[in-house]
Short mmCIF file of all heavy atoms in Angstrom, two decimals:
data_model
loop_
_atom_site.label_atom_id
_atom_site.label_comp_id
_atom_site.label_asym_id
_atom_site.label_seq_id
_atom_site.Cartn_x
_atom_site.Cartn_y
_atom_site.Cartn_z
N ILE A 371 112.75 70.97 105.73
CA ILE A 371 111.69 71.44 106.61
C ILE A 371 110.32 71.53 105.89
O ILE A 371 109.27 71.16 106.39
CB ILE A 371 112.06 72.78 107.26
CG1 ILE A 371 113.30 72.59 108.16
CG2 ILE A 371 110.92 73.34 108.05
CD1 ILE A 371 113.84 73.85 108.71
N VAL A 372 110.35 72.15 104.70
CA VAL A 372 109.13 72.32 103.95
C VAL A 372 108.48 70.97 103.59
O VAL A 372 107.27 70.78 103.74
CB VAL A 372 109.37 73.11 102.65
CG1 VAL A 372 108.16 73.11 101.71
CG2 VAL A 372 109.71 74.56 103.01
N GLU A 373 109.33 70.00 103.19
CA GLU A 373 108.79 68.69 102.93
C GLU A 373 108.17 68.01 104.12
O GLU A 373 107.10 67.38 104.03
CB GLU A 373 109.86 67.78 102.33
CG GLU A 373 110.32 68.19 100.90
CD GLU A 373 109.21 68.28 99.91
OE1 GLU A 373 108.39 67.30 99.91
OE2 GLU A 373 109.06 69.26 99.23
N VAL A 374 108.81 68.18 105.29
CA VAL A 374 108.27 67.65 106.55
C VAL A 374 106.91 68.29 106.88
O VAL A 374 105.95 67.59 107.23
CB VAL A 374 109.24 67.85 107.74
CG1 VAL A 374 108.58 67.52 109.05
CG2 VAL A 374 110.48 66.94 107.55
N VAL A 375 106.84 69.60 106.76
CA VAL A 375 105.68 70.31 107.04
C VAL A 375 104.52 69.84 106.06
O VAL A 375 103.37 69.62 106.48
CB VAL A 375 105.82 71.85 106.93
CG1 VAL A 375 104.50 72.62 107.02
CG2 VAL A 375 106.75 72.35 108.01
N LYS A 376 104.78 69.76 104.79
CA LYS A 376 103.82 69.31 103.82
C LYS A 376 103.33 67.90 104.04
O LYS A 376 102.20 67.58 103.57
CB LYS A 376 104.40 69.44 102.44
CG LYS A 376 104.52 70.87 101.96
CD LYS A 376 105.04 70.93 100.48
CE LYS A 376 105.03 72.41 99.99
NZ LYS A 376 105.54 72.45 98.65
N SER A 377 104.09 67.09 104.77
CA SER A 377 103.68 65.73 105.04
C SER A 377 102.60 65.66 106.12
O SER A 377 102.01 64.61 106.35
CB SER A 377 104.91 64.82 105.44
OG SER A 377 105.36 65.20 106.73
N LEU A 378 102.43 66.77 106.86
CA LEU A 378 101.42 66.84 107.85
C LEU A 378 99.99 67.02 107.22
O LEU A 378 99.76 68.06 106.57
CB LEU A 378 101.69 68.01 108.76
CG LEU A 378 102.36 67.72 110.13
CD1 LEU A 378 102.71 69.01 110.75
CD2 LEU A 378 101.45 66.94 111.04
N PRO A 379 99.11 66.10 107.36
CA PRO A 379 97.73 66.27 106.75
C PRO A 379 96.98 67.39 107.38
O PRO A 379 96.04 67.85 106.76
CB PRO A 379 97.07 64.88 107.03
CG PRO A 379 97.81 64.34 108.16
CD PRO A 379 99.23 64.78 108.04
N GLU A 380 97.37 67.88 108.56
CA GLU A 380 96.65 68.94 109.19
C GLU A 380 97.03 70.30 108.68
O GLU A 380 96.48 71.32 109.07
CB GLU A 380 96.94 68.91 110.72
CG GLU A 380 96.41 67.67 111.44
CD GLU A 380 97.40 66.52 111.36
OE1 GLU A 380 98.46 66.70 110.78
OE2 GLU A 380 97.13 65.45 111.97
N VAL A 381 98.02 70.36 107.77
CA VAL A 381 98.51 71.66 107.26
C VAL A 381 97.59 72.18 106.15
O VAL A 381 97.23 71.42 105.24
CB VAL A 381 99.96 71.56 106.70
CG1 VAL A 381 100.35 72.77 105.94
CG2 VAL A 381 100.91 71.34 107.88
N GLU A 382 97.22 73.45 106.30
CA GLU A 382 96.33 74.08 105.32
C GLU A 382 97.12 74.96 104.32
O GLU A 382 96.71 75.17 103.15
CB GLU A 382 95.27 74.91 106.02
CG GLU A 382 94.08 75.32 105.21
CD GLU A 382 92.96 75.87 106.04
OE1 GLU A 382 92.16 75.09 106.51
OE2 GLU A 382 92.88 77.09 106.21
N GLY A 383 98.26 75.51 104.79
CA GLY A 383 99.05 76.33 103.96
C GLY A 383 100.41 76.60 104.54
O GLY A 383 100.64 76.47 105.77
N ILE A 384 101.38 76.88 103.71
CA ILE A 384 102.74 77.19 104.15
C ILE A 384 103.34 78.26 103.26
O ILE A 384 103.23 78.21 102.02
CB ILE A 384 103.63 75.89 104.12
CG1 ILE A 384 105.08 76.28 104.53
CG2 ILE A 384 103.59 75.24 102.76
CD1 ILE A 384 106.00 75.03 104.66
N SER A 385 103.98 79.27 103.89
CA SER A 385 104.61 80.36 103.17
C SER A 385 106.04 80.47 103.56
O SER A 385 106.40 80.59 104.71
CB SER A 385 103.91 81.69 103.47
OG SER A 385 104.54 82.75 102.75
N VAL A 386 106.92 80.39 102.60
CA VAL A 386 108.37 80.52 102.78
C VAL A 386 108.75 81.88 102.33
O VAL A 386 108.51 82.35 101.23
CB VAL A 386 109.09 79.45 101.96
CG1 VAL A 386 110.59 79.63 102.08
CG2 VAL A 386 108.72 78.07 102.33
N ARG A 387 109.35 82.67 103.28
CA ARG A 387 109.64 84.07 103.01
C ARG A 387 111.16 84.33 103.09
O ARG A 387 111.87 83.72 103.89
CB ARG A 387 108.97 84.97 104.04
CG ARG A 387 107.46 84.82 104.10
CD ARG A 387 106.87 85.57 105.28
NE ARG A 387 105.45 85.35 105.48
CZ ARG A 387 104.84 85.39 106.63
NH1 ARG A 387 105.57 85.61 107.73
NH2 ARG A 387 103.56 85.14 106.74
N TYR A 388 111.59 85.30 102.24
CA TYR A 388 113.02 85.73 102.27
C TYR A 388 113.04 87.20 102.57
O TYR A 388 112.15 88.00 101.98
CB TYR A 388 113.66 85.48 100.89
CG TYR A 388 113.61 84.05 100.46
CD1 TYR A 388 112.48 83.52 99.77
CD2 TYR A 388 114.67 83.19 100.70
CE1 TYR A 388 112.44 82.18 99.46
CE2 TYR A 388 114.61 81.90 100.34
CZ TYR A 388 113.50 81.37 99.68
OH TYR A 388 113.42 80.06 99.31
N THR A 389 113.85 87.69 103.46
CA THR A 389 113.81 89.11 103.87
C THR A 389 115.14 89.78 103.86
O THR A 389 116.17 89.15 104.02
CB THR A 389 113.19 89.21 105.29
OG1 THR A 389 114.08 88.56 106.24
CG2 THR A 389 111.83 88.59 105.42
N SER A 390 115.08 91.11 103.69
CA SER A 390 116.26 91.90 103.77
C SER A 390 115.77 93.41 103.94
O SER A 390 114.62 93.69 103.62
CB SER A 390 117.13 91.82 102.49
OG SER A 390 118.28 92.56 102.60
N SER A 391 116.61 94.29 104.35
CA SER A 391 116.27 95.66 104.43
C SER A 391 116.25 96.29 103.05
O SER A 391 117.08 96.03 102.27
CB SER A 391 117.29 96.39 105.33
OG SER A 391 117.22 95.96 106.68
N GLY A 392 115.16 97.05 102.82
CA GLY A 392 115.05 97.70 101.49
C GLY A 392 114.51 99.08 101.63
O GLY A 392 113.94 99.50 102.65
N THR A 393 114.75 99.87 100.58
CA THR A 393 114.30 101.26 100.52
C THR A 393 113.59 101.53 99.18
O THR A 393 114.06 101.10 98.18
CB THR A 393 115.47 102.24 100.68
OG1 THR A 393 116.15 101.95 101.95
CG2 THR A 393 114.98 103.68 100.72
N LEU A 394 112.48 102.29 99.23
CA LEU A 394 111.81 102.75 98.06
C LEU A 394 112.02 104.25 97.91
O LEU A 394 111.92 105.02 98.88
CB LEU A 394 110.32 102.46 98.10
CG LEU A 394 109.89 101.02 98.13
CD1 LEU A 394 108.42 100.89 98.37
CD2 LEU A 394 110.26 100.29 96.86
N GLU A 395 112.27 104.69 96.66
CA GLU A 395 112.49 106.11 96.44
C GLU A 395 111.54 106.56 95.28
O GLU A 395 111.44 105.89 94.30
CB GLU A 395 113.95 106.36 96.05
CG GLU A 395 114.32 107.83 95.92
CD GLU A 395 115.78 107.98 95.48
OE1 GLU A 395 116.46 107.04 95.27
OE2 GLU A 395 116.19 109.15 95.41
N TYR A 396 110.89 107.73 95.52
CA TYR A 396 109.98 108.24 94.55
C TYR A 396 110.35 109.68 94.20
O TYR A 396 110.69 110.46 95.08
CB TYR A 396 108.49 108.19 95.11
CG TYR A 396 107.49 108.79 94.17
CD1 TYR A 396 107.17 108.18 92.94
CD2 TYR A 396 106.84 110.00 94.49
CE1 TYR A 396 106.25 108.71 92.06
CE2 TYR A 396 105.90 110.53 93.57
CZ TYR A 396 105.59 109.89 92.38
OH TYR A 396 104.67 110.44 91.61
N GLY A 397 110.28 110.04 92.92
CA GLY A 397 110.59 111.37 92.47
C GLY A 397 112.05 111.52 92.11
O GLY A 397 112.52 112.69 91.88
N TYR A 398 112.82 110.48 92.11
CA TYR A 398 114.23 110.58 91.77
C TYR A 398 114.48 111.01 90.37
O TYR A 398 115.54 111.52 90.05
CB TYR A 398 114.89 109.18 92.01
CG TYR A 398 114.27 108.04 91.27
CD1 TYR A 398 114.67 107.69 90.04
CD2 TYR A 398 113.22 107.36 91.82
CE1 TYR A 398 114.08 106.67 89.32
CE2 TYR A 398 112.57 106.35 91.15
CZ TYR A 398 113.02 105.98 89.84
OH TYR A 398 112.51 104.98 89.16
N GLN A 399 113.53 110.80 89.44
CA GLN A 399 113.73 111.14 88.05
C GLN A 399 113.82 112.65 87.85
O GLN A 399 114.43 113.11 86.91
CB GLN A 399 112.54 110.63 87.22
CG GLN A 399 112.31 109.14 87.34
CD GLN A 399 111.21 108.77 88.34
OE1 GLN A 399 111.07 109.46 89.31
NE2 GLN A 399 110.47 107.73 88.03
N THR A 400 113.22 113.42 88.78
CA THR A 400 113.21 114.87 88.57
C THR A 400 114.29 115.60 89.37
O THR A 400 114.37 116.87 89.40
CB THR A 400 111.87 115.47 89.04
OG1 THR A 400 111.61 115.10 90.45
CG2 THR A 400 110.70 114.87 88.15
N LYS A 401 115.18 114.89 90.04
CA LYS A 401 116.25 115.46 90.77
C LYS A 401 117.26 116.18 89.78
O LYS A 401 117.66 115.49 88.82
CB LYS A 401 117.00 114.42 91.64
CG LYS A 401 116.16 113.90 92.81
CD LYS A 401 116.80 112.74 93.50
CE LYS A 401 118.12 113.15 94.13
NZ LYS A 401 118.68 112.01 94.91
N VAL A 402 117.55 117.38 90.13
CA VAL A 402 118.54 118.10 89.30
C VAL A 402 119.96 117.93 89.79
O VAL A 402 120.92 117.73 89.08
CB VAL A 402 118.20 119.63 89.26
CG1 VAL A 402 119.27 120.43 88.50
CG2 VAL A 402 116.79 119.87 88.71
N ARG A 403 120.10 117.95 91.17
CA ARG A 403 121.39 117.77 91.74
C ARG A 403 121.34 116.52 92.66
O ARG A 403 120.31 116.13 93.15
CB ARG A 403 121.79 118.97 92.63
CG ARG A 403 121.97 120.28 91.82
CD ARG A 403 122.22 121.45 92.75
NE ARG A 403 121.06 121.71 93.58
CZ ARG A 403 120.05 122.47 93.26
NH1 ARG A 403 120.03 123.03 92.04
NH2 ARG A 403 119.04 122.72 94.08
N SER A 404 122.48 115.91 92.89
CA SER A 404 122.53 114.74 93.68
C SER A 404 122.15 114.97 95.14
O SER A 404 121.73 114.14 95.86
CB SER A 404 123.99 114.13 93.65
OG SER A 404 124.91 115.02 94.16
N SER A 405 122.28 116.26 95.53
CA SER A 405 121.92 116.67 96.91
C SER A 405 120.43 116.88 97.07
O SER A 405 119.92 117.06 98.22
CB SER A 405 122.69 117.90 97.32
OG SER A 405 122.39 118.98 96.38
N ASP A 406 119.70 117.00 95.94
CA ASP A 406 118.24 117.16 96.03
C ASP A 406 117.61 115.98 96.72
O ASP A 406 117.97 114.80 96.48
CB ASP A 406 117.60 117.32 94.62
CG ASP A 406 118.04 118.66 93.95
OD1 ASP A 406 118.53 119.49 94.73
OD2 ASP A 406 117.88 118.80 92.78
N LYS A 407 116.58 116.22 97.53
CA LYS A 407 115.92 115.17 98.25
C LYS A 407 114.72 114.67 97.45
O LYS A 407 114.02 115.39 96.81
CB LYS A 407 115.47 115.61 99.64
CG LYS A 407 116.63 115.94 100.57
CD LYS A 407 116.15 116.25 102.02
CE LYS A 407 115.53 115.00 102.64
NZ LYS A 407 115.15 115.27 104.03
N SER A 408 114.45 113.38 97.57
CA SER A 408 113.27 112.78 96.99
C SER A 408 112.59 111.99 98.10
O SER A 408 113.19 111.72 99.20
CB SER A 408 113.65 111.87 95.81
OG SER A 408 114.59 110.84 96.21
N GLU A 409 111.31 111.59 97.86
CA GLU A 409 110.63 110.82 98.85
C GLU A 409 111.25 109.46 98.96
O GLU A 409 111.68 108.87 97.99
CB GLU A 409 109.17 110.63 98.40
CG GLU A 409 108.37 111.92 98.30
CD GLU A 409 106.94 111.61 97.86
OE1 GLU A 409 106.47 110.46 98.04
OE2 GLU A 409 106.31 112.55 97.30
N SER A 410 111.35 108.97 100.22
CA SER A 410 111.86 107.59 100.40
C SER A 410 111.18 107.00 101.63
O SER A 410 110.75 107.66 102.54
CB SER A 410 113.38 107.55 100.57
OG SER A 410 113.72 108.29 101.79
N ALA A 411 111.11 105.69 101.58
CA ALA A 411 110.56 104.94 102.72
C ALA A 411 111.33 103.57 102.79
O ALA A 411 111.55 102.92 101.82
CB ALA A 411 109.05 104.62 102.54
N GLY A 412 111.73 103.27 104.05
CA GLY A 412 112.45 102.02 104.28
C GLY A 412 111.59 101.01 104.95
O GLY A 412 110.76 101.34 105.79
#
């Protein structure tokens, strides 16, 4: 598909993306117990 798209002279740019669900956690280094909460964003 990418090769076909690139063969079009009218194309200015193409971005191929890979996605999955992910989570970021901040402050985990200072947790004393596993039950302690840290900042997170999904």
Side-chain angles (χ1 to χ4, degrees):
I371 294 173
V372 169
E373 290 304 313
V374 168
V375 171
K376 287 182 175 179
S377 71
L378 260 171
E380 296 86 358
V381 168
E382 197 167 273
I384 176 173
S385 179
V386 177
R387 304 172 186 147
Y388 303 85
T389 65
S390 183
S391 296
T393 303
L394 294 175
E395 186 182 4
Y396 177 67
Y398 56 91
Q399 303 98 325
T400 59
K401 291 172 62 175
V402 177
R403 297 176 296 274
S404 60
S405 59
D406 291 344
K407 294 187 67 176
S408 55
E409 296 179 22
S410 64

